[in-house]
Amino acid sequence: MSDRSGIFAGDDPFAIARAWLAEAEAQEVNDANAIALSTVDASGLPNARMVLLKDIEDDGFVFYTNYGSSKAQELDSAGKAAFVMHHKSLRRQIRVRGNVSREEGPQADAYYASRSLKSRLGAWASRQSQPLASRSSLMAKVARVTAEHGTAPTRPPFWGGYRIDPVEIEFWADGAFRLHDRFKWTRDARGQDWKVERLNP
């Protein structure tokens, strides 16, 4: 496409996404990798929350969570999700829709091991999304799992990653007079060629 140049140039949407994120990391005050993740429950009611994107792979986007959480149950049930990454300082956003699979292997182990000790112990202590009697009861649980697991806890079996294999990626950049630039990349499944089209603002 002749007018897809500058920040939109390239034949690999994942490379473009990594470049945009790298640029945002130098500008955003906090959590440039934050995404608003959208799922649906069994009745089709939408849900959204902020999570931290931890990897942009050559063919997918990866984040981590507790498998007992509401988001995980909705991801497992529907097998599909969407997210938007908004970089306010750059006036850009990346929208992604796709199929979801779990990441429960060495990659998840390595990411878990890279987290701070308190975050690793917190993953053991929290029954994410479940009712909590009090903050003090949570801290007591943290103390118990600290005594049980010590300073080298292994990744909990109920905690790991999710990978979104996109069938649609849209790159959006703010334009003068609200005449924004939008390019949508679509494909039917992983490994297939992308189709790219410019969208109206």
Side-chain angles (χ1 to χ4, degrees):
M1 185 170 290
S2 61
D3 63 343
R4 191 164 55 82
S5 58
I7 61 172
F8 295 99
D11 297 322
D12 180 355
F14 301 98
I16 297 171
R18 282 191 290 269
W20 282 30
L21 178 56
E23 192 174 349
E25 286 172 341
Q27 300 279 340
E28 297 290 326
V29 176
N30 292 306
D31 298 331
N33 61 329
I35 59 175
L37 177 71
S38 297
T39 56
V40 293
D41 67 14
S43 71
L45 189 65
N47 218 338
R49 79 290 285 160
M50 303 303 295
V51 302
L52 297 180
L53 183 68
K54 289 300 179 179
D55 197 14
I56 301 177
E57 301 178 328
D58 290 340
D59 219 19
F61 300 87
V62 180
F63 61 92
Y64 294 86
T65 192
N66 185 310
Y67 290 143
S69 65
S70 297
K71 79 173 80 64
Q73 293 172 22
E74 292 167 3
L75 290 165
D76 289 338
S77 175
K80 296 176 174 63
F83 73 77
V84 60
M85 178 184 289
H86 178 220
H87 295 138
K88 187 172 184 177
S89 62
L90 297 175
R91 299 186 178 189
R92 298 178 195 166
Q93 63 181 356
I94 302 171
R95 298 175 59 219
V96 173
R97 302 169 72 205
N99 301 304
V100 176
S101 60
R102 284 191 179 189
E103 171 50 65
E104 300 180 281
Q107 183 174 333
D109 293 336
Y111 172 66
Y112 179 79
S114 76
R115 305 177 87 210
S116 71
L117 176 60
K118 288 183 178 180
S119 292
R120 283 178 281 154
L121 292 168
W124 274 102
S126 174
R127 296 179 64 229
Q128 195 173 91
S129 301
Q130 301 303 308
L132 178 64
S134 66
R135 176 95 183 160
S136 61
S137 66
L138 176 62
M139 299 316 292
K141 179 77 177 291
V142 171
R144 288 196 299 273
V145 300
T146 300
E148 181 180 348
H149 295 282
T151 59
T154 58
R155 179 173 61 86
F158 53 81
W159 190 98
Y162 281 97
R163 178 177 291 102
I164 299 180
D165 296 322
V167 294
E168 183 178 301
I169 305 174
E170 181 188 321
F171 296 94
W172 179 102
D174 182 64
F177 310 108
R178 302 197 64 79
L179 299 178
H180 312 306
D181 287 308
R182 300 173 62 187
F183 289 93
K184 184 170 73 172
W185 298 61
T186 55
R187 65 181 181 181
D188 291 330
R190 173 187 275 257
Q192 295 189 354
D193 291 338
W194 290 98
K195 173 187 174 185
V196 187
E197 58 185 349
R198 178 185 276 275
L199 301 180
N200 272 278

